[in-house]
Amino acid sequence: MKSETLKNAAVSTLVGATLVTGVIVLAPGWGKDTPPPAPGPVARAMTAAGSGAPASLSDLDALIRDRERFVRDHPGDEESWAVLGSAYVERGTRLGDTAYYPKAERALKRSLRAVPAAKGNVAALVGMAELANARHDFAGARGYAESARKQKPERWAVYPALIDAYNGLGRYAAAGKAMDKLLELQTGPQVQGREARIYWNKGWREDAAALAYGATANSRTPTEKAVALHREGELAWERGEAEEAVEHFTKALRTVPESHRSLAGRARALAALGRTDEALDDYRSALAKLPLPEYALEAGELYESMGLNGDAATLYELLRKQVTRAGEHGVDGDLVLARYEADHGDPAAAVRRLQGEWRRGHRNVHVADAMGWALYRAGRPDDALPFAKVATGQGLRSALFSYHLGEIERALGDYGPARRHIDEALRTNPHFSPLLAPKAREAQDALGEPAPGGPADVVGDGYWPLDPPEDAPSGTVPPSASPSPSPSSPSASSPSPSAPAAPDPAAGSAAPLPAASSAAPAPGTAARTAVSPAPAPPAGRPAPQLRPVQRSTTTATTAPPSTAMSENG
């Protein structure tokens, strides 16, 4: 759930904005002695906000114009500045236009100058939290949202921002507690939809689907319904039900044609169904209307899977330009750029970028998966394994994560777990990637069936929990000076005395890491090496030591003794 709106409440009509995930702010100008505004775009935005529903883009634009006029005549009004800043965040997020973020920051800081946070300007604090989340600064978002919660713990719009921040930091237990508090304070389709995503992240697919369906059924406006239908489409896609996903995304687009994210979602599902011409048309439309780097990466990989490497290279270059432009507006694009580098550029550069993410406290499953895969692609499967287990150990049933873990295990000669995880990836979603799903099927064939007679020895996979201790001070980041943890060697950053800490890419060396490369090589230029047969894995391999990465353009992998395959993606 990425968009939510503007809310009415007491004395002066409260114009809240659940912008991006939930901001409530007070909008002056409509006092109790003043007649309510005539029905129109601004009034519709206010009405939608009463239930936490998203406003249409046209109504959001009307609100922005209205507040811009108001602050010109009332430059000291902190409430209108907070509304305006939050509306800029929402519009930038909905349109993929990060140029709105600096405008939002200026408006929100203007509000805080008029009335500081310490004097109760919760609306601006929540707006700043939403802005930080939109920029992928999750530690900053948590700081603003926790400050707002401390002042107004019963203000429901604080909690969506807090949930997003906790999820970005990988603090899933804390996100769940914030979700419980939100459910105490607010109901409605948008809250149902957010709860559906929490359940999905835990692996509770049936519960998530039921909540997502309920959010669609309970939607009251076209925009709200389009958001709910898009969410149903995302869940269907992640279950591997491509036809159902296409149906939901198409309904979202029919309900609100400006649901540009549903174009990219439908393109992904159409590609899985082999309807590549339609998929490419949708990707082109999505990129024209919502130029997000992740869509450029998806479309580029579809072109590459078709052998159209020139078109793929054009889209990869577009991705880099989009990340650079967003970075100029304060957006952290290292995760998507690292995913590109790992498969199409310099895996060592991807590792360095992700080390920066990890040190900033961004220890969520997506960063952990990307780190594991980048280390594997850089020829360091031993170092990759703990991260891949972090990604798959929180409950999320992701075909991509399972495939990555399986390939890492295959490179280490752990053929039983590798077979299980690659099979799991293809069961979860047999078409999860136009480039990697075919490789998963090749790996499945190469691994074959297990030897008769059953395993000689059974060892559980284990995982490294991501959440720091619940009683840890706000902003605490676990120390990273010790070697990578293993199931038998918990560290000071462990979530509990009995649970080992998450792996740390900076551990194992006191030397400073090289700076991340800002220039990516041309797509397809990374050298590929043939796979050589691997010896049987040692009986008791020690826990991996994560070392500073050195630039490398080679990818070292291994395969079962009877197979030699080239790594090409």
Side-chain angles (χ1 to χ4, degrees):
M1 177 176 68
K2 278 259 198 214
S3 63
E4 286 89 315
T5 4
L6 314 164
K7 181 176 164 111
N8 282 322
V11 189
S12 296
T13 303
L14 301 182
V15 175
T18 47
L19 304 165
V20 185
T21 49
V23 177
I24 294 183
V25 286
L26 303 173
W30 303 292
K32 63 182 179 181
D33 298 326
T34 304
V42 176
R44 286 197 299 270
M46 294 165 58
T47 300
S51 60
S56 69
L57 279 173
S58 59
D59 291 351
L60 186 63
D61 288 346
L63 178 72
I64 288 173
R65 291 192 298 271
D66 181 83
R67 292 298 89 188
E68 285 175 337
R69 287 193 297 268
F70 192 87
V71 296
R72 280 196 292 269
D73 296 330
H74 305 83
D77 192 291
E78 82 284 356
E79 295 165 348
S80 282
W81 281 115
V83 170
L84 183 59
S86 296
Y88 283 147
V89 174
E90 172 72 355
R91 197 174 197 284
T93 302
R94 295 269 290 272
L95 296 178
D97 188 352
T98 57
Y100 277 93
Y101 295 162
K103 297 175 69 173
E105 184 175 10
R106 289 193 293 270
L108 292 165
K109 286 184 174 179
R110 186 74 178 264
S111 176
L112 288 167
R113 283 199 301 272
V115 175
K119 293 187 177 181
N121 194 349
V122 172
L125 281 174
V126 176
M128 290 296 288
E130 295 295 1
L131 175 60
N133 278 325
R135 285 171 158 171
H136 307 152
D137 174 15
F138 302 114
R142 180 185 59 188
Y144 287 119
E146 286 183 342
S147 178
R149 178 171 64 171
K150 183 177 180 180
Q151 294 191 45
K152 298 287 185 180
E154 301 305 310
R155 180 70 64 85
W156 72 264
V158 170
Y159 292 92
L162 196 57
I163 291 166
D164 285 351
Y166 282 145
N167 281 333
L169 294 170
R171 295 187 59 182
Y172 296 110
K177 290 180 179 179
M179 184 73 232
D180 290 342
K181 184 63 176 179
L182 176 60
L183 289 168
E184 292 176 11
L185 299 173
Q186 180 71 358
T187 60
Q190 296 305 307
V191 176
Q192 281 182 294
R194 183 176 288 279
E195 189 180 13
R197 179 51 68 178
I198 291 281
Y199 280 8
W200 180 267
N201 289 342
K202 292 181 176 181
W204 302 351
R205 300 199 302 181
E206 293 77 10
D207 300 278
L211 283 165
Y213 174 81
T216 302
N218 294 328
S219 295
R220 289 160 289 222
T221 67
T223 303
E224 189 174 36
K225 187 172 184 180
V227 169
L229 285 166
H230 178 84
R231 187 182 300 109
E232 284 201 85
E234 285 184 322
L235 297 183
W237 163 251
E238 290 165 358
R239 291 192 303 267
E241 298 171 358
E243 290 185 3
E244 184 179 339
V246 168
E247 181 181 350
H248 288 307
F249 290 131
T250 300
K251 286 180 179 178
L253 287 161
R254 287 174 181 165
T255 303
V256 176
E258 59 197 27
S259 302
H260 307 319
R261 293 179 189 275
S262 292
L263 281 170
R266 188 172 68 179
R268 195 180 306 124
L270 287 168
L273 295 171
R275 296 161 62 179
T276 51
D277 288 343
E278 296 171 79
L280 291 171
D281 284 343
D282 274 355
Y283 272 129
R284 282 190 286 267
S285 297
L287 284 165
K289 297 168 182 175
L290 193 68
L292 296 178
E294 51 265 39
Y295 296 162
L297 178 59
E298 288 180 18
E301 290 186 337
L302 179 56
Y303 274 118
E304 189 174 336
S305 73
M306 300 166 64
L308 301 173
N309 294 334
D311 294 306
T314 299
L315 284 165
Y316 296 150
E317 179 60 28
L318 174 62
L319 177 154
R320 290 193 292 269
K321 289 179 179 177
Q322 289 168 331
V323 170
T324 299
R325 180 176 182 272
E328 293 169 354
H329 301 141
V331 178
D332 174 7
D334 276 350
L335 178 56
V336 66
L337 196 55
R339 287 201 178 278
Y340 159 76
E341 293 280 15
D343 279 322
H344 311 286
D346 182 355
V351 172
R352 287 192 293 274
R353 290 184 182 280
L354 292 164
Q355 285 171 330
E357 290 293 289
W358 202 259
R359 285 173 173 151
R360 284 192 286 274
H362 298 174
R363 303 187 175 197
N364 60 67
V365 293
H366 302 283
V367 174
D369 170 71
M371 176 69 86
W373 188 243
L375 285 164
Y376 161 79
R377 294 282 295 159
R380 296 168 58 184
D382 266 304
D383 290 346
L385 186 61
F387 288 96
K389 288 187 174 182
V390 165
T392 55
Q394 297 298 309
L396 179 65
R397 295 168 69 177
S398 164
L400 182 66
F401 292 4
S402 295
Y403 168 69
H404 285 167
L405 175 57
E407 284 287 28
I408 291 165
E409 290 167 330
R410 191 161 73 104
L412 293 169
D414 294 342
Y415 303 131
R419 183 184 298 108
R420 182 172 71 255
H421 289 122
I422 290 172
D423 286 351
E424 181 182 327
L426 292 171
R427 284 197 308 272
T428 301
N429 186 346
H431 305 288
F432 65 90
S433 162
L435 281 179
L436 298 182
K439 293 182 182 299
R441 287 188 284 274
E442 291 174 6
Q444 187 181 53
D445 291 341
L447 287 164
E449 295 298 324
D457 151 50
V458 178
V459 180
D461 285 343
Y463 68 93
W464 282 256
L466 291 175
D467 289 335
E470 289 301 328
D471 58 352
S474 173
T476 296
V477 176
S480 59
S482 60
S484 300
S486 69
S488 61
S489 59
S491 71
S493 60
S494 302
S496 70
S498 61
D504 191 333
S509 173
L513 295 175
S517 171
S518 60
T525 59
R528 312 294 187 189
T529 59
V531 176
S532 58
R541 185 169 49 250
Q545 300 287 322
L546 299 189
R547 303 172 298 278
V549 67
Q550 302 299 320
R551 180 175 298 278
S552 169
T553 57
T554 61
T555 302
T557 60
T558 57
S562 61
T563 306
M565 298 172 58
S566 63
E567 179 65 24
N568 191 29

